[in-house]
């Protein structure tokens, strides 16, 4: 039982409980890297346990993977695959499946970014912008093409 404490006149409350110990950042014998602010460095972990680890080469591969995921998300957001006159029911199922794949890939990019690694954030941002710049450039060329 917690003792009651008088706060003001006839109002009583329970005494505060002692706070819980802070959560441990170790799981078994593996030490996890937990960050709550952006940091710069190759020693990180995101998307998969132990990946990319402490290897510089694997960190570069991981950044390229996040970049490619972001480009693919933008690509799937802007392309038109279904041709006019297609079966509407089949096209609807295909569109739904494509949306599910795009959403899943987008969530993978988000999960990578919340590792709070500055390099991962920049790789995702550049990946999103790269495809968008390519897409907008093609659209601008079509609009400003002289049809005289």
């Amino acid at each position: 039982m917690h003792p009651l404490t008088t706060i003001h006149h006839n109002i009583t409350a329970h005494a505060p409980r002692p706070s819980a110990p802070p959560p441990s950042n170790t799981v078994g014998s593996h030490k996890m890297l937990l960050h709550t602010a952006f940091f710069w460095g190759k020693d990180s972990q995101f998307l998969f346990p132990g990946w990319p680890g402490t290897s510089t080469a694997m960190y570069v591969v991981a950044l390229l993977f996040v970049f490619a995921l972001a480009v693919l998300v933008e690509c799937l957001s802007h392309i038109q695959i279904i041709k006019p006159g297609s079966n509407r029911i089949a096209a609807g199922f295909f569109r739904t499946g494509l949306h599910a794949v795009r959403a899943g890939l987008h969530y993978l990019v988000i999960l990578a970014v919340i590792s709070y690694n500055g390099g991962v954030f920049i790789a995702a941002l550049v990946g999103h912008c790269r495809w968008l710049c390519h897409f907008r450039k093609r659209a601008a060329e079509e609009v400003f093409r002289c049809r005289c």
Side-chain angles (χ1 to χ4, degrees), residues 131-145:
W131 178 262
L132 195 60
C133 290
H134 173 73
F135 178 73
R136 295 223 188 251
K137 181 183 175 205
R138 277 190 14 207
E141 286 174 355
E142 287 182 21
V143 168
F144 294 113
R145 186 176 297 148

Side-chain angles (χ1 to χ4, degrees), residues 5-142:
T5 307
T6 302
I7 295 175
H8 182 59
H9 297 292
N10 293 331
I11 301 172
T12 57
H14 291 283
R17 294 182 181 182
S19 62
S24 172
N25 64 347
T26 58
V27 176
S29 62
H30 300 285
K31 183 170 175 129
M32 294 181 356
L33 302 171
L34 301 175
H35 296 278
T36 57
F38 277 110
F39 72 98
W40 298 97
K42 66 175 181 59
D43 297 340
S44 62
Q45 173 179 313
F46 52 91
L47 293 181
F48 308 107
W51 190 69
T54 58
S55 167
T56 302
M58 287 306 294
Y59 180 68
V60 171
V61 168
L63 292 180
L64 290 173
F65 180 71
V66 171
F67 173 82
L69 279 177
V71 168
L72 188 57
V73 166
E74 287 300 322
C75 176
L76 293 175
S77 298
H78 291 98
I79 60 172
Q80 294 291 332
I81 296 177
I82 301 170
K83 295 182 173 138
S86 300
N87 181 343
R88 291 181 67 188
I89 295 173
F93 280 119
F94 184 77
R95 225 180 256 126
T96 301
L98 191 62
H99 177 76
V101 168
R102 185 185 64 80
L105 293 175
H106 199 158
Y107 280 119
L108 280 176
V109 173
I110 291 170
L111 284 173
V113 168
I114 64 171
S115 70
Y116 293 107
N117 184 296
V120 173
F121 174 74
I122 290 173
L125 188 65
V126 171
H128 282 296
C129 292
R130 173 64 186 110
W131 178 262
L132 195 60
C133 290
H134 173 73
F135 178 73
R136 295 223 188 251
K137 181 183 175 205
R138 277 190 14 207
E141 286 174 355
E142 287 182 21

